[in-house]
Amino acid sequence: MVDHDSRAVRHIHDELHSHLPAEPALRVKALESLLIEKGLVDPRTVDAWVEGYSEEIGPKRGARMVARAWVDPAFRELLLSDAAEAAAQFGFDGTGISHLTAHENTDDVHHLVVCTLCSCYPQGVLGIPPTWYKMAAYRARAVREPRGVLEEFGVRLSDEVEVQVWDSTAELRHMVVPQRPADTEGWSEERLAKLVTRNSMIGTDRDLSRMVKEAT
Amino acid sequence: MDGIHDLGGLQGFGRIDVDEPEEAFHAPWEGRMFGMARCMARPADWNIDWFRHCRELIDPADYLTRPYYDQWMQAYSAMLVNSGVATVEEIATGKSTYRPKKVPPAPPPESFRTGRAGYTRYDRPGAADPAFRPGDIVRTKAHGIPGHTRLPRYVRGHRGVIVASHGPHVFPDAHAVGEDRAEPLYTVGFAASDLWPEVTHRDRVFLDLWESYLDRE
């Protein structure tokens, strides 16, 4: 039974800190051995999760949704009104997309997603979040100086563009729909999807025209 | 709780590693920890908010310096010990000394596909009537609570506007102590210049906040 006693858990953390090996790889190896021996983990299931989230479940999923929104006005409408349903139409499932919401960039508005309290991220459509998304600097700075953060990512916004930061404090998950770059008229959905970067769906990338140049 | 995890707006942090390679896991142990967290057989009374609280309780220096999935390792280890499923000694050595009771069997590999269908929902339609409507002006509570809560320090005591109403969602402050209780959830918009004295742009910050975090202004 969980006792929900914060002080007890804090004390356990001290014990763990004193007794566990310092090297993360060793700590995790010992934990896996233990959980297998206790019958709590099947290592083949761990393999399945690692493989699934290394390739199949990743930002290519989100990119396909964005590309479809660029070519199909009805899908765009659905994505912006009920992104969870839009993901379900692709057959996408996975962690954190039961309450997915999508925010569309425009000439006047740029969206940026963060989780200041932990590391919430729409994994079912964007995969495993980058380490920087989960660590202190981004979480501290994104809500206070988003323009400075964006500059580090090479995104320079004019003063006229409004930044809207989405702090993922509940079980809603947020993704950004970047703008379709110019000179892509007539491109297939599949070709367009290759232009959509992971960072553009977090909001730390904006102008995808360099991707068009790379693709042509 | 006013913990180290509540990082929004803290100053003095350095540059972001924008050149990080885009692979999912940067070392095999990261993937193992991620996978174990996802497929570990667990006591029925664990939930996401209890996990978050156990991560928040990591020593502040460790919280800021240990690698991300190492924090998962530490949080899950603390939960295992707290629930009586393992001891600190066992976790340190990797050797089991007893078989825990009342834990379901380890999920098999096919659970990766079957177990994800109908993933957890946190909305509880009809559980409560929303007191606010989009357009309403609210002020966030000035203080948090000692346990797990999702009202970050940087928005406390601030004026915001309801921009969307999502109906009742599981209330994390209660969920973290074992109660599946729902409260209306709203997206609340704040002017960045209200939150931060140095901001002159008309930027905005949006948070998803529960009704009891808010008072009508």
Side-chain angles (χ1 to χ4, degrees):
Chain A
M1 274 296 284
V2 170
D3 60 10
H4 301 112
D5 180 344
S6 302
R7 289 171 66 95
V9 171
R10 184 65 187 78
H11 177 70
I12 294 167
H13 278 306
D14 284 339
E15 294 285 305
L16 291 165
H17 181 101
S18 310
H19 290 89
L20 263 46
E23 179 58 45
L26 295 178
R27 296 154 69 110
V28 170
K29 196 175 172 196
L31 182 63
E32 185 169 359
S33 303
L34 174 66
L35 295 180
I36 292 168
E37 223 182 293
K38 282 187 182 278
L40 302 176
V41 157
D42 181 335
R44 297 168 306 159
T45 316
V46 179
D47 295 342
W49 279 88
V50 173
E51 283 159 25
Y53 273 83
S54 293
E55 182 58 35
E56 178 195 339
I57 303 177
K60 284 177 189 164
R61 285 183 160 193
R64 287 178 62 196
M65 292 167 66
V66 169
R68 184 163 298 174
W70 285 347
V71 299
D72 178 346
F75 184 81
R76 172 181 166 271
E77 193 115 322
L78 177 67
L79 180 61
L80 297 177
S81 61
D82 186 352
E85 177 56 29
Q89 282 199 357
F90 273 91
F92 297 157
D93 59 1
T95 311
I97 57 171
S98 302
H99 306 291
L100 184 66
T101 60
H103 309 286
E104 185 183 52
N105 281 348
T106 65
D107 288 345
D108 306 318
V109 174
H110 182 80
H111 297 284
L112 181 69
V113 178
V114 63
C115 174
T116 62
L117 295 174
C118 51
S119 46
C120 300
Y121 190 76
Q123 293 198 1
V125 291
L126 297 189
I128 300 293
T131 301
W132 55 256
Y133 181 89
K134 301 177 279 207
M135 299 310 277
Y138 181 76
R139 287 163 50 193
R141 296 175 56 200
V143 287
R144 183 148 194 169
E145 39 145 347
R147 289 165 189 269
V149 167
L150 288 169
E151 276 197 23
E152 281 176 30
F153 282 93
V155 178
R156 281 180 184 80
L157 294 177
S158 76
D159 289 345
E160 284 72 49
V161 176
E162 177 184 331
V163 179
Q164 299 194 355
V165 183
W166 298 84
D167 188 356
S168 315
T169 42
E171 296 304 334
L172 270 60
R173 293 291 172 272
H174 301 276
M175 69 176 280
V176 178
V177 181
Q179 290 179 283
R180 179 173 176 167
D183 304 321
T184 56
E185 292 75 24
W187 284 35
S188 70
E189 212 177 295
E190 198 183 358
R191 200 171 168 211
L192 288 167
K194 293 201 173 75
L195 305 176
V196 183
T197 62
R198 177 198 67 194
N199 284 6
S200 73
M201 294 180 282
I202 302 172
T204 52
D205 189 2
R206 177 170 170 89
D207 182 357
L208 297 175
S209 53
R210 72 177 191 287
M211 301 300 290
V212 179
K213 287 190 197 101
E214 275 176 32
T216 49
Chain B
M1 70 180 221
D2 291 339
I4 191 67
H5 67 285
D6 190 356
L7 288 162
L10 289 191
Q11 294 175 300
F13 287 95
R15 295 180 70 85
I16 292 155
D17 179 16
V18 300
D19 297 320
E20 179 191 334
E22 239 185 70
E23 73 244 357
F25 304 110
H26 303 317
W29 70 266
E30 293 188 350
R32 299 316 288 175
M33 190 58 235
F34 166 78
M36 273 194 280
R38 289 282 179 256
C39 73
M40 180 191 305
R42 61 198 66 208
D45 53 4
W46 285 15
N47 66 45
I48 180 70
D49 289 298
W50 177 237
F51 165 71
R52 288 191 181 121
H53 189 49
C54 289
R55 185 177 163 222
E56 292 162 6
L57 289 164
I58 291 173
D59 180 85
D62 283 351
Y63 190 95
L64 290 176
T65 54
R66 300 293 303 194
Y68 178 72
Y69 286 107
D70 191 50
Q71 296 181 26
W72 278 31
M73 190 280 166
Q74 177 107 9
Y76 276 97
S77 295
M79 291 162 78
L80 289 164
V81 174
N82 179 256
S83 290
V85 178
T87 65
V88 172
E89 177 70 15
E90 286 181 322
I91 292 167
T93 60
K95 298 268 183 284
S96 176
T97 57
Y98 68 102
R99 191 84 180 204
K101 291 174 195 151
K102 288 188 186 167
V103 179
E110 53 271 24
S111 66
F112 172 64
R113 306 242 162 247
T114 56
R116 287 186 294 129
Y119 223 86
T120 314
R121 297 193 65 92
Y122 293 91
D123 52 345
R124 298 287 183 269
D129 291 328
F132 304 118
R133 288 190 305 185
D136 286 352
I137 306 295
V138 292
R139 187 172 293 276
T140 52
K141 299 280 194 224
H143 302 288
I145 60 160
H148 180 67
T149 185
R150 301 289 285 182
L151 177 66
R153 262 194 305 260
Y154 77 89
V155 290
R156 289 184 198 157
H158 281 280
R159 191 171 176 273
V161 59
I162 304 280
V163 298
S165 174
H166 304 291
H169 276 233
V170 173
F171 183 49
D173 306 41
H175 202 214
V177 292
E179 291 172 48
D180 193 312
R181 176 155 66 78
E183 264 194 22
L185 178 72
Y186 307 92
T187 298
V188 185
F190 298 87
S193 56
D194 281 350
L195 298 176
W196 317 115
E198 69 277 12
V199 169
T200 53
H201 291 97
R202 60 187 172 94
D203 298 342
R204 281 186 284 172
V205 182
F206 297 92
L207 293 88
D208 300 316
L209 301 175
W210 279 265
E211 193 164 283
S212 63
Y213 298 166
L214 308 171
D215 288 318
R216 191 176 295 278
E217 177 77 343

